[in-house]
Amino acid sequence: MGADTRADIETQETTASWPLTVVSVDVGGTKIAVATVLYKHEGGAPSIPWKIEVPTKAQRGGDAVLETIVEAVREGMGHATTPVAGIGVGTAGRVRVDDGSIAYAVESIMPGWAGQPVKARLLQEFGIPLAVMGDVQAHALGEARWGAAQGADTCIVLAPGTGMGGGFICHGRIVLGAHGFAGEVGATLNPLDGGGAVLESVASGSGIEARYEDLTGEHVSGAEISHRAYEGDEAARKVIEDAGRALGIALAGWVNVFDPDVAVVSGSVTKAGVLWHDALHKAYEAHVPAVLADLSIVEAGLGSDAPLIGASQYLLDSLGMGGR
Amino acid sequence: MGADTRADIETQETTASWPLTVVSVDVGGTKIAVATVLYKHEGGAPSIPWKIEVPTKAQRGGDAVLETIVEAVREGMGHATTPVAGIGVGTAGRVRVDDGSIAYAVESIMPGWAGQPVKARLLQEFGIPLAVMGDVQAHALGEARWGAAQGADTCIVLAPGTGMGGGFICHGRIVLGAHGFAGEVGATLNPLDGGGAVLESVASGSGIEARYEDLTGEHVSGAEISHRAYEGDEAARKVIEDAGRALGIALAGWVNVFDPDVAVVSGSVTKAGVLWHDALHKAYEAHVPAVLADLSIVEAGLGSDAPLIGASQYLLDSLGMGGR
């Protein structure tokens, strides 16, 4: 149960006080970013005085990736200019909330990443508080606390990129859920289709590309489809409008349930242009009562720092030092 | 913004300590229940040593209903055997989180209830901490903290009765949202229908009755439709199966997003029999990954006390005395 696992995390203790540093890691399929995240005083905004990126070289397998992370964290520890309160990790794949291991990862992208005991290995090596979460969850928490939705109590983050992820913030804290798998918005039903298809198949970048190929026989990039849509290509217009419309209807459903302060959209699909944005907003407004129609739907503000800041924030939240 | 309004509630203070009583009110269209909710020690389970119900007589108008509530609370205060920490109210209609007034109520059922300054009026009269929320939100919090989902960190409560309400618990606390309108599950899209219909139109009791009437020309009660379904009436079977199936698919979507510890179903539709339950479970399992398929879907456990216990809990949570 989530309550138990949360208690497990919360029993971690730190002797650090402000100013403090969290060493934060963002593990992706192609690169691993490590940063020192500095908090000068209690409640103060984080800054990133030091950051590096190293190639994941995921095809070496999960064991090697984990050791690369250990070395990168070690380097980060050496660059901290204050006591280190702990380590925050946001990673590709689904993360078990109970032990911070990888429950699931796409084998073709990160072979052998599933099953890796990320938290246990880092704890063994460094012996300081650890918090491990999904990279989209980290991104969402970063944007909600310090980015485009700064200070929001309730916030929905939707991230249509190659895939389709999301994160939900309630009471100012990320919702991880019983297993740690909360935020799987891409796996929900495609609202344009009464059949079995999921939202990711229409609203994500890979979905847009696949649908365009179905219609035209051509496999081209999402950016090219956006360009063609702008120039009037009917098939391109349709798949981009459908992507925005599906996401807008899905968002409306979650807004009816969450009544958020703000919604954040991020990811490559948000660059699809005015056609996508118009379809998103129009569909959203058509599926909520008037009182919810003026919701702020904003674009992410922290760029690639969001997961680093989010994972760091989750570490502080888990220590009861996050201000929520 | 929710953050501000929550701060507003949290600035309320009480001098009470355990043992303590909360006077709790459940305002419905036909009756108003008032109870003393007793907590013997910190973290201890609530009990209800005293409770009354009075008719709402809603057709008198909202002003009269509010004065009936004031009198009932006064009587409750007189029955408290410990210091009173505050007053908790769960009420029909949508409640504004910022000022505890009624934003919206069905005019035919509770004329003039919309706009009533419930929190301000009770504060004026009694001058002690107040917490006002929707009745389904109160019901959900009661079940999540002390009922069928006791101790759950993340919990979804779905209440298909005459209408279709719900409540979401994250981090052990009810999600009210930016305006206070969170939990409007009935207003989300009917997943059986790509058109504009909402979940309430197929999954609620009134929806079941209307759809049966559409198919047969007969208007009969939900209980009678359940009975006919049991006896093999095809139209009855269809509308009941559709109701369970729609709710199961909708639940699957929210589980993908929330990953709850447990889901609670309550309300008259849950009495529709094995046909409904089977359809619900089957549809749910077909729309989640295997790891989420064994979710506990349980029936509510507190009966009509749930909203009283939930509103009381929200008062304690808002005072920082709720243990979450």
Side-chain angles (χ1 to χ4, degrees):
Chain A
M1 300 273 285
D4 298 327
T5 57
R6 199 189 56 164
D8 171 55
I9 290 169
E10 285 183 350
T11 55
Q12 295 186 125
E13 285 178 14
T14 179
T15 54
S17 67
W18 291 269
L20 60 79
T21 295
V22 177
V23 175
S24 195
V25 189
D26 176 21
V27 182
T30 57
K31 60 194 178 189
I32 297 164
V34 182
T36 56
V37 183
L38 174 65
Y39 301 81
K40 288 191 180 160
H41 55 87
E42 184 166 4
S47 61
I48 296 188
W50 176 87
K51 178 165 97 164
I52 56 163
E53 286 183 0
V54 296
T56 307
K57 296 180 186 164
Q59 298 305 321
R60 296 173 301 156
D63 291 351
V65 170
L66 188 49
E67 292 318 302
T68 298
I69 293 169
V70 169
E71 291 315 308
V73 168
R74 196 189 314 282
E75 195 176 342
M77 302 287 281
H79 282 84
T81 55
T82 74
V84 176
I87 301 163
V89 180
T91 173
R94 289 187 183 183
V95 177
R96 282 190 211 286
V97 76
D98 55 352
D99 66 2
S101 70
I102 307 300
Y104 172 82
V106 178
E107 196 63 17
S108 59
I109 298 175
M110 295 192 73
W113 188 234
Q116 289 294 332
V118 178
K119 184 176 175 182
R121 177 71 185 93
L122 290 168
L123 197 58
Q124 173 197 45
E125 193 72 23
F126 299 104
I128 60 175
L130 253 301
V132 186
M133 68 201 309
D135 53 356
V136 185
Q137 294 167 336
H139 169 92
L141 180 57
E143 290 291 344
R145 197 67 69 83
W146 299 110
Q150 190 170 345
D153 199 50
T154 314
C155 175
I156 299 176
V157 179
L158 300 176
T162 306
M164 172 83 219
F168 290 71
I169 279 80
C170 295
H171 309 116
R173 298 175 62 176
I174 185 76
V175 178
L176 296 182
H179 305 84
F181 304 161
E184 290 287 336
V185 297
T188 61
L189 211 63
N190 170 10
L192 303 186
D193 185 337
V198 295
L199 183 60
E200 188 168 68
S201 72
V202 62
S204 73
S206 57
I208 288 171
E209 292 172 10
R211 295 186 77 232
Y212 187 75
E213 189 171 358
D214 284 348
L215 288 175
T216 64
E218 266 189 282
H219 186 79
V220 295
S221 72
E224 173 63 20
I225 296 169
S226 298
H227 179 69
R228 291 185 185 185
Y230 178 76
E231 294 198 326
D233 176 331
E234 280 305 316
R237 289 181 65 88
K238 175 169 172 50
V239 297
I240 291 208
E241 279 181 339
D242 280 355
R245 195 155 60 94
L247 198 66
I249 299 174
L251 175 62
W254 295 316
V255 170
N256 272 306
V257 160
F258 271 99
D259 185 10
D261 297 303
V262 56
V264 179
V265 291
S266 66
S268 57
V269 174
T270 66
K271 310 301 174 200
V274 67
L275 202 66
W276 180 85
H277 282 272
D278 283 354
L280 169 70
H281 283 266
K282 195 171 157 191
Y284 169 74
E285 288 164 19
H287 289 86
V288 288
V291 68
L292 300 178
D294 65 349
L295 175 72
S296 288
I297 304 174
V298 299
E299 297 206 34
L302 295 178
S304 62
D305 286 347
L308 293 164
I309 287 171
S312 173
Q313 186 64 49
Y314 178 51
L315 185 276
L316 292 185
D317 287 350
S318 71
L319 293 170
M321 299 172 77
R324 292 286 192 156
Chain B
M1 300 274 285
D4 299 329
T5 57
R6 199 189 58 164
D8 172 56
I9 290 170
E10 284 183 350
T11 55
Q12 294 188 124
E13 285 178 15
T14 179
T15 54
S17 67
W18 291 268
L20 60 81
T21 296
V22 176
V23 175
S24 194
V25 190
D26 176 21
V27 182
T30 58
K31 61 194 178 189
I32 296 164
V34 182
T36 57
V37 183
L38 175 65
Y39 301 81
K40 288 190 180 159
H41 56 86
E42 184 167 2
S47 61
I48 296 187
W50 176 88
K51 178 165 98 165
I52 56 163
E53 287 183 359
V54 298
T56 308
K57 296 179 185 163
Q59 299 307 321
R60 297 174 300 156
D63 291 350
V65 170
L66 188 49
E67 292 317 302
T68 298
I69 292 169
V70 168
E71 290 316 308
V73 168
R74 196 189 313 284
E75 196 175 342
M77 302 286 282
H79 282 83
T81 55
T82 74
V84 176
I87 301 164
V89 180
T91 172
R94 289 187 182 184
V95 177
R96 283 190 210 285
V97 75
D98 55 351
D99 65 3
S101 70
I102 307 299
Y104 172 82
V106 179
E107 196 63 18
S108 59
I109 297 174
M110 295 193 71
W113 188 234
Q116 289 295 330
V118 178
K119 182 176 177 182
R121 177 72 185 91
L122 289 168
L123 198 57
Q124 172 197 47
E125 193 72 24
F126 300 104
I128 60 174
L130 254 300
V132 186
M133 68 200 310
D135 53 357
V136 185
Q137 294 167 336
H139 169 91
L141 180 57
E143 290 290 344
R145 198 67 69 83
W146 298 109
Q150 190 170 344
D153 199 50
T154 314
C155 176
I156 299 176
V157 179
L158 300 176
T162 306
M164 172 82 218
F168 289 71
I169 280 78
C170 296
H171 309 116
R173 299 175 62 176
I174 185 77
V175 178
L176 296 182
H179 304 83
F181 303 161
E184 290 289 335
V185 297
T188 61
L189 210 63
N190 170 11
L192 303 186
D193 185 336
V198 295
L199 183 61
E200 188 167 69
S201 71
V202 62
S204 74
S206 58
I208 289 170
E209 291 172 9
R211 294 187 75 230
Y212 187 76
E213 190 170 358
D214 283 348
L215 288 175
T216 65
E218 266 190 282
H219 187 79
V220 295
S221 72
E224 173 62 20
I225 296 170
S226 297
H227 179 69
R228 291 184 184 186
Y230 178 76
E231 295 198 324
D233 177 331
E234 281 305 317
R237 290 180 64 88
K238 175 169 171 52
V239 297
I240 292 210
E241 280 180 338
D242 281 354
R245 195 155 60 96
L247 198 66
I249 299 173
L251 175 62
W254 295 316
V255 169
N256 272 308
V257 160
F258 272 99
D259 185 10
D261 297 302
V262 55
V264 179
V265 291
S266 67
S268 58
V269 174
T270 65
K271 309 302 174 200
V274 68
L275 203 65
W276 180 84
H277 282 272
D278 283 353
L280 169 69
H281 283 266
K282 196 172 156 190
Y284 169 73
E285 289 165 18
H287 288 87
V288 288
V291 67
L292 301 176
D294 65 348
L295 176 74
S296 288
I297 304 174
V298 300
E299 296 206 36
L302 295 177
S304 61
D305 286 347
L308 293 164
I309 287 171
S312 173
Q313 186 64 50
Y314 178 51
L315 183 276
L316 292 184
D317 286 349
S318 72
L319 292 170
M321 299 173 77
R324 293 285 194 158

